[in-house]
Amino acid sequence: MSDLVFGLDTFGDVPQDDTGALVSDARAIRQVVDEAILMEETGVDVIALGEHHRPEYAISTPETVLAGIATRTERIHLSSGVTVLSSDDPVRVFQRFSTVDALSGGRAEIILGRGSFTESFPLFGYDLADYDVLFEEKIELFAKLLEEKPVTWSGTQRAALDDADVFPKTESGRLTTWVGVGGTPQSVIRTARYGFPLMIAIIGGTPERFTPYVDLYQRATDQFGTTAHPVGMHSPGFIADTDEEAREVHWPHYKLMRDRIGALRGWPPVRKEEYAAEIEHGSLYIGSPETVARKMARAIKALGVGRFDLIYTTGAQPISARLRSVELYGTKVIPMVRDLLA
């Protein structure tokens, strides 16, 4: 991959077909595989699949879908976006992704996170009161597993390991592993302490307000004596042939999804004026290829990041519009951003 990396993210949002009806979860998953093939054909560097356990999203095991994509592609990197490590087992996460790495010829990546949704905790028998300690202990174990040597470890949230060897090993000897953070200094410092690359989720407000976190990561890696990798960012967006069409297709599904989640979190319904302001000044990348490319270039330059992932699905956008958005991102937006930053 070139120095500047471009990805597309999805949680497997269940889309509409040409009649306006929601498709099945099974078809939604197959649709993501089709979109990944199109991404590879159009020059996208990475596909990242997020883990969710909610009715709006079809993907609960990103690595299973990535394994399917691995057998249908040759170049594109295959990432989670994110894997909720707190409610999973680090050994099994390593095994599943090292298997995807084998199937794909070394293209697997993991983005570890604590998760902004909490459905996985009761689903798998974890107490939300242990939210912090679960991630702290499990990322410590996962960092040891990445060395691909026998592991001795003990904690309070899973059985201890005594000189345990874990298989399969990767051919390269190291799984590419990021940590996704939502904007807490402690998460940034933890990421730096382990020497992991940092992926910042910027889903609202101006991207520039995250500049202190990039600076903190670089300072912290220097103090810990770890490596300051190029930082990544991911934000939601949608691309169509014109600005008007992009907003028209995106807005109703965005509002439905945003209000449904907002009701659970005590947010008021989103107004169209807020939506327009977020497109103009915030972190929604909605519009024609030219509009989105210029905005992406500004954000990449402002934060000095090395990777930009666009969350290209938000709600039940029609399949045909999603495919067009993917196509425009790969064939138009990425080349424009490279030119603008050259």
Side-chain angles (χ1 to χ4, degrees), residues 158-231:
R158 94 176 291 287
L161 297 175
D162 183 18
D163 206 33
D165 216 355
V166 175
F167 306 96
K169 310 292 187 186
T170 64
E171 287 179 322
S172 69
R174 184 82 177 183
L175 267 175
T176 299
T177 304
W178 300 65
V179 175
V181 306
T184 63
Q186 296 87 348
S187 296
V188 174
I189 291 168
R190 181 195 295 113
T191 304
R193 188 169 84 239
Y194 286 107
F196 288 129
L198 176 71
M199 177 66 72
I200 306 174
I202 306 177
I203 57 172
T206 63
E208 288 80 4
R209 69 193 177 97
F210 285 85
T211 303
Y213 294 104
V214 178
D215 296 339
L216 175 61
Y217 173 71
Q218 291 165 343
R219 291 201 315 274
T221 53
D222 188 50
Q223 290 184 19
F224 288 124
T226 53
T227 301
H229 301 275
V231 173

Side-chain angles (χ1 to χ4, degrees), residues 56-322:
E56 304 92 346
Y57 306 115
I59 295 176
S60 60
T61 58
E63 58 273 33
T64 312
V65 185
L66 293 171
I69 295 169
T71 64
R72 303 282 302 278
T73 57
E74 296 179 356
R75 178 194 57 79
I76 195 167
H77 281 227
L78 311 169
S79 178
S80 62
V82 300
T83 293
V84 184
L85 186 65
S86 307
S87 56
D88 211 330
D89 183 78
V91 173
R92 293 299 280 152
V93 171
F94 175 86
Q95 290 177 323
R96 296 194 301 258
F97 276 90
S98 62
T99 300
V100 175
D101 201 60
L103 287 168
S104 65
R107 291 182 281 138
E109 299 186 7
I110 311 174
I111 301 178
L112 301 174
R114 298 198 291 175
S116 61
F117 290 80
T118 57
E119 288 85 0
S120 64
F121 290 82
L123 189 63
F124 300 121
Y126 292 100
D127 190 338
L128 276 171
D130 298 325
Y131 186 81
D132 291 320
V133 70
L134 279 165
F135 192 73
E136 194 64 69
E137 288 193 2
K138 290 184 177 187
I139 196 171
E140 178 190 44
L141 173 54
F142 199 82
K144 289 179 178 289
L145 293 166
L146 288 175
E147 296 173 10
E148 302 195 17
K149 299 173 183 174
V151 172
T152 297
W153 176 91
S154 64
T156 63
Q157 299 298 316
R158 94 176 291 287
L161 297 175
D162 183 18
D163 206 33
D165 216 355
V166 175
F167 306 96
K169 310 292 187 186
T170 64
E171 287 179 322
S172 69
R174 184 82 177 183
L175 267 175
T176 299
T177 304
W178 300 65
V179 175
V181 306
T184 63
Q186 296 87 348
S187 296
V188 174
I189 291 168
R190 181 195 295 113
T191 304
R193 188 169 84 239
Y194 286 107
F196 288 129
L198 176 71
M199 177 66 72
I200 306 174
I202 306 177
I203 57 172
T206 63
E208 288 80 4
R209 69 193 177 97
F210 285 85
T211 303
Y213 294 104
V214 178
D215 296 339
L216 175 61
Y217 173 71
Q218 291 165 343
R219 291 201 315 274
T221 53
D222 188 50
Q223 290 184 19
F224 288 124
T226 53
T227 301
H229 301 275
V231 173
M233 64 180 287
H234 84 161
S235 294
F238 193 78
I239 305 152
D241 290 288
T242 66
D243 291 348
E244 295 74 20
E245 183 189 355
R247 294 189 187 204
E248 186 179 323
V249 172
H250 187 263
W251 161 249
H253 306 288
Y254 172 86
K255 176 171 173 56
L256 186 66
M257 180 73 77
R258 167 68 169 66
D259 289 351
R260 187 177 293 165
I261 293 167
L264 300 172
R265 300 183 179 186
W267 302 340
V270 65
R271 294 177 294 112
K272 200 159 191 179
E273 295 78 11
E274 297 172 67
Y275 176 73
E278 194 64 44
I279 292 172
E280 295 300 327
H281 310 292
S283 291
L284 269 180
Y285 296 76
I286 311 289
S288 68
E290 295 82 2
T291 297
V292 172
R294 290 184 188 284
K295 187 169 184 179
M296 280 175 55
R298 285 195 301 271
I300 291 166
K301 192 173 182 180
L303 293 179
V305 297
R307 172 168 159 182
F308 187 105
D309 285 3
L310 187 78
I311 308 167
Y312 72 100
T313 58
T314 308
Q317 279 91 16
I319 286 172
S320 57
R322 271 177 42 165

